[in-house]
């Protein structure tokens, strides 16, 4: 060789290029699919580039990727019951408000008192139906109560307790008034006197429970 | 003089090889934040998942990206709402949301447009020319952000309603992805 140095320079550059330049992506070459089209020479066409990427390679666990139709059915039943709970809850607010309005003139008028008690009974029946729908909705394992739903459940404890106390106290108050009909300036005494306060707390907590699910505070 | 020429040739080769490699190779998703937005006249809901996994392959034709995320990992702060979301999006039957994107060459930092295919709730939707922003950091990581303009009609989802008023059709998804090249 006339110029040995040039040869070694060329060899060094060539070897460096082959080492540092990745001419092809390092991922394995795609395997041709059985149904892939063939070229005119009869050789199989290489599968599209996307086939190198598979969800199986991402490392998800079987519990993440496995379809669960039973859970889907459970979720559907749960949603259906809670939707019915929502509708019944809104409808129950109507007789509840009517009962409160009818409480205005019950002390000296037995007809008003009876009407107030009747509408109150309807309220109680609808309330129990609403509560039943929520309590029997399927529970999903691993789910946690949070956000507005948790507050809604806390308020349910308050208005649920008042919904039990108010009719009982109301019945006691009604009996006293019925037995003392015509007695001027008769005042309800004892625990029955708490009927109004219990009803007021029921109304407030029930209204708040509805509001937290509707309004984004 | 010959030595200077040799050094220049070698240096030029090094520089050329660095620019030619660029982003070529396989990338792995190391951090992610996917957030969907739901709009209702009385509520604005956001739910976020950081459980996505992904891989990408970059070559002369561009970047081929695959990202997947379990539907159940999206959290809005209200467990009851998230369970209802699972029900309406058929999240137990189709537990994964899969996104494939094609990012045409040349690959470089800045604003880019990519075609995105989303597989969700048993349906597929194609979004062409979605704008993403790519940032390359000194440690070699790649940070990509953008918004996929998904809608509930694209996936045949029955819109949930509150007080008989349904949610709006648009459910845009914000993506925030950090990619690195695995060590060889």
């Amino acid at each position: 060789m006339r110029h040995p140095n040039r040869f070694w320079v060329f060899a060094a550059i060539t070897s460096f290029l082959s080492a540092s330049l990745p001419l092809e992506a390092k991922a394995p070459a795609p395997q041709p699919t059985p149904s892939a089209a063939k070229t005119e020479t009869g050789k199989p066409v290489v599968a599209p580039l996307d086939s190198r990427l598979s969800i199986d390679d991402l490392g998800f666990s079987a519990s993440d990727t496995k379809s669960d139709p039973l859970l889907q059915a459970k979720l559907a039943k749960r949603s259906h019951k809670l939707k019915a709970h929502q509708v019944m809850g809104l409808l129950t607010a109507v007789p509840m408000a009517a009962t409160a309005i009818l409480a205005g003139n019950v002390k000296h008028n037995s007809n008003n008192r009876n009407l107030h008690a009747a509408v109150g009974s309807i309220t109680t029946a609808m309330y129990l139906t609403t509560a039943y729908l929520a309590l029997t909705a399927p529970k999903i394992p691993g789910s946690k109560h949070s956000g507005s739903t948790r507050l809604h459940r806390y308020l349910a404890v308050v208005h649920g307790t008042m919904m039990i106390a108010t009719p009982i106290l109301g019945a006691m108050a009604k009996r006293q008034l019925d037995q003392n009909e015509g007695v001027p300036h008769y005042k309800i005494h004892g625990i029955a006197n708490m009927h109004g306060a219990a009803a007021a707390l029921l109304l407030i907590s029930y209204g708040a429970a509805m509001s937290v699910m509707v309004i984004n505070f | 003089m010959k030595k200077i020429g040799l050094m220049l040739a070698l240096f030029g080769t090094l520089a050329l090889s660095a620019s030619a490699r660029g982003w070529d190779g396989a990338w792995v998703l190391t951090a992610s934040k996917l957030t969907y937005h739901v709009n209702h006249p009385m509520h604005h809901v956001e739910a976020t998942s950081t459980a996505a996994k992904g891989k990408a392959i970059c070559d002369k034709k561009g970047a081929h990206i695959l990202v997947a995320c379990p539907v159940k990992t999206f959290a809005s702060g209200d467990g009851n709402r998230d369970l209802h979301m699972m029900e309406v999006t058929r999240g137990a039957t189709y537990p994964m949301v899969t996104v494939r994107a094609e990012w045409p060459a040349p690959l470089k930092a800045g604003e880019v447009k990519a075609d995105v295919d989303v597989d969700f709730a048993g349906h597929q939707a194609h979004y062409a020319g979605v704008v993403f922003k790519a940032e390359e950091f000194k440690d070699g990581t790649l940070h990509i952000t953008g918004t996929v303009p998904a809608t509930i009609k694209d996936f045949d989802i029955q819109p949930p309603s509150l007080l008989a008023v349904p949610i709006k059709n648009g459910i845009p998804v914000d993506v925030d992805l950090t990619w690195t090249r695995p060590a060889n």
Side-chain angles (χ1 to χ4, degrees), chain A residues 11-89:
Chain A
I13 292 170
T14 308
S15 62
F16 182 83
L17 277 173
S18 61
S20 64
L21 267 179
L23 297 175
E24 296 292 335
K26 291 190 178 176
Q31 298 298 317
T33 58
S35 59
K38 292 192 176 180
T39 63
E40 290 177 3
T41 58
K43 292 181 182 176
V45 174
V46 175
L49 290 170
D50 265 0
S51 67
R52 290 181 290 175
L53 295 168
S54 166
I55 196 169
D56 296 329
D57 300 330
L58 297 181
F60 285 107
S61 65
S63 63
D64 286 333
T65 59
K66 188 183 171 188
S67 175
D68 193 343
L70 288 176
L71 176 59
Q72 190 64 47
K74 203 173 180 183
L75 285 168
K77 188 178 178 183
R78 181 179 183 278
S79 284
H80 177 76
K81 280 213 162 178
L82 290 180
K83 193 76 181 174
H85 164 77
Q86 186 185 67
V87 172
M88 275 305 299

Side-chain angles (χ1 to χ4, degrees), chain A residues 145-180:
Chain A
H145 303 296
S146 56
S148 299
T149 306
R150 185 155 65 175
L151 190 54
H152 182 77
R153 291 171 69 90
Y154 288 156
L155 287 165
V157 174
V158 177
H159 63 67
T161 308
M162 290 302 106
M163 196 67 230
I164 295 169
T166 302
I168 294 171
L169 296 172
M172 293 165 68
K174 184 176 183 295
R175 193 188 311 159
Q176 286 186 25
L177 288 171
D178 288 343
Q179 287 172 352
N180 295 278

